[in-house]
Amino acid sequence: MLRFIANRLIVVPFILFGMSLLVFFLMRLIPGDAAAVLLGPYAMPEAVAELRRGLGLDLPAVQQYGIWLKHVIVGDFGRSISFSMPVLDVLVPRALNSLLLTLAAFLIASVFGIGLGVLAAVKQNSRIDKISVTGSLLLANAPPFWLGFLLAIYFALHLKLLPSSGMTVIGRPSGPLVILSHLILPAVTAALIPLAVILRLTRAAMIDILKQQYVTAARARGFSEWRVITGYALRNAMPGIVNICGLQLGYLFGTALFSEVVFNWPGIGQLMYNSIISRDVPVIQAVVLCVGALFVLVNFISDITQAALDPRVRA
C-alpha cells in the first residue's frame, strides 16, 4: 500500500507543474490588454505603458512565468488588478463558500445516487427501475444552467419556497438556517448530473454482482435479503462506486461554478466570471490553478480509497 501511495505521490508534482505551464501561457492568449482594460477606454497611452511596466507585463513571457511560479510556490499569487488587494485575500473567502456548495452537492449526489441505484438494481425491470433509468438519462444530458433556471423558476418564483439568489438576505441577520435556505437550490442544481451518473453506474455494478454465485449461495444459506444486499453485493461493488464518486466530486467543482453564476452564490465561480470580464489575470490564474490542484487531490484520495477497499487495484 505504501508503494502504491508513493507511486501516486511521485506523479503529482509533474502534473501540477504541467498545469501551471498550461494555465499561465493560456492566459497570455486572451485578447486585449489588462492595463488598458483597467484604466478604461480613454486612458492615455503613456499611462497604459506605465501601468504595464508596474505590473511586469512588459517582460518576456518566460521571465514572467518564472517570477510568477517562484511566488506561487510560497503561496503568493500576486495582487488582484480589479480589487487592488492580494489575490489570496480575494480568493479564500469565496473558496470556502464554493467548498460548502460543492460538499453539499456531493452529499446529495452520493446519498441519492447510490441509494436509488441500489434500489433500481434490486427492483430490476420494475416501475421504480424504469423511472430511475429514464430520469437519469434525461438529467445526465441536460445542461446544468438550464436545470438551475428551471428550479429557480418553479421553487423560487412560482412556489416562493426558497430564495433564488445570494447567500444571505440583505438587511436581515444571517444564520445557519438562512444560509441553508439559500444553499438548497444551487446545491441541488450542481448535484443532479453527478447523481444521475452515480445512479446508473451503481445500478449496473449491483445488477452484475447480484448475479454472482456467492450472492446466490448467501441466499441459499438463509441470510436475509437486507444482509445479502448490504453485506455481500454492495460491499463488493463499493470500490467501483467510490471511484465513480471521486470522479464526480472533481466534476462537481466544474458544475458548481455554473450553479454559482445562475444563483449569484458568492463563490469562486462568480469570482471567475467577474475576473474574466475585467481581465483580472492574476485572479483567473489563481482560480484555475487551485481548482485544477483540488481536482488532482480528489483523484489522489479516490485512488487511495479504492486501493484500500480492493487489493487488486494495488497490483
Side-chain angles (χ1 to χ4, degrees):
M1 187 66 186
L2 289 176
R3 180 181 293 178
F4 179 83
I5 295 173
N7 288 337
R8 289 291 186 276
L9 280 175
I10 290 172
V11 180
V12 169
F14 294 100
I15 296 175
L16 294 177
F17 177 68
M19 197 181 297
S20 71
L21 274 173
L22 197 63
V23 168
F24 184 86
F25 286 101
L26 278 179
M27 289 301 106
R28 268 59 196 167
L29 298 179
I30 297 176
D33 189 324
V37 172
L38 187 62
L39 294 177
Y42 304 107
M44 299 294 289
E46 295 79 9
V48 174
E50 181 64 28
L51 183 59
R52 282 180 57 80
R53 279 193 296 274
L55 296 173
L57 298 177
D58 59 333
L59 299 172
V62 175
Q63 189 175 350
Q64 288 184 46
Y65 173 74
I67 296 172
W68 175 75
L69 184 63
K70 182 180 174 183
H71 286 91
V72 166
I73 289 174
V74 296
D76 180 9
F77 289 89
R79 290 184 67 84
S80 164
I81 295 174
S82 53
F83 290 91
S84 297
M85 57 192 298
V87 170
L88 273 184
D89 292 346
V90 178
L91 184 62
V92 170
R94 289 165 176 81
L96 293 176
N97 294 338
S98 292
L99 189 61
L100 175 65
L101 173 60
T102 303
L103 291 179
F106 180 67
L107 187 66
I108 295 170
S110 301
V111 171
F112 287 94
I114 295 174
L116 291 174
V118 171
L119 184 63
V122 173
K123 303 287 184 184
Q124 191 181 5
N125 297 325
S126 67
R127 185 175 296 178
I128 294 174
D129 183 29
K130 291 174 183 174
I131 292 173
S132 299
V133 171
T134 305
S136 65
L137 280 173
L138 291 174
L139 289 176
N141 291 287
F145 62 89
W146 182 77
L147 293 172
F149 287 136
L150 286 184
L151 291 177
I153 290 170
Y154 188 71
F155 289 100
L157 299 181
H158 181 63
L159 297 180
K160 300 185 186 303
L161 289 176
L162 295 166
S164 62
S165 68
M167 192 177 184
T168 56
V169 181
I170 298 174
R172 294 182 184 176
S174 180
L177 289 179
V178 174
I179 294 175
L180 180 64
S181 66
H182 284 79
L183 178 64
I184 291 175
L185 285 182
V188 170
T189 300
L192 286 176
I193 293 177
L195 186 155
V197 174
I198 293 172
L199 188 157
R200 292 174 61 190
L201 294 174
T202 301
R203 175 184 176 274
M206 286 294 292
I207 288 176
D208 184 52
I209 289 178
L210 286 172
K211 294 176 182 175
Q212 299 297 318
Q213 290 185 352
Y214 61 84
V215 175
T216 306
R219 283 176 173 147
R221 291 167 64 185
F223 292 146
S224 66
E225 191 64 16
W226 172 258
R227 183 174 176 183
V228 170
I229 292 169
T230 57
Y232 287 84
L234 185 57
R235 182 179 177 184
N236 286 287
M238 279 312 289
I241 295 173
V242 167
N243 187 36
I244 294 303
C245 288
L247 292 175
Q248 292 309 307
L249 179 57
Y251 175 79
L252 265 173
F253 289 117
T255 53
L257 304 186
F258 288 104
S259 189
E260 288 177 9
V261 174
V262 172
F263 292 98
N264 197 27
W265 182 264
I268 57 174
Q270 194 186 61
L271 175 66
M272 183 77 164
Y273 176 75
N274 294 329
S275 299
I276 291 173
I277 291 176
S278 60
R279 210 181 184 285
D280 195 342
V281 174
V283 174
I284 299 172
Q285 289 176 163
V287 171
V288 175
L289 189 61
C290 289
V291 171
L294 204 55
F295 187 78
V296 172
L297 176 65
V298 167
N299 279 325
F300 175 74
I301 295 173
S302 173
D303 286 347
I304 300 300
T305 307
Q306 191 181 11
L309 292 172
D310 188 355
R312 293 174 297 178
V313 177
R314 302 197 291 267

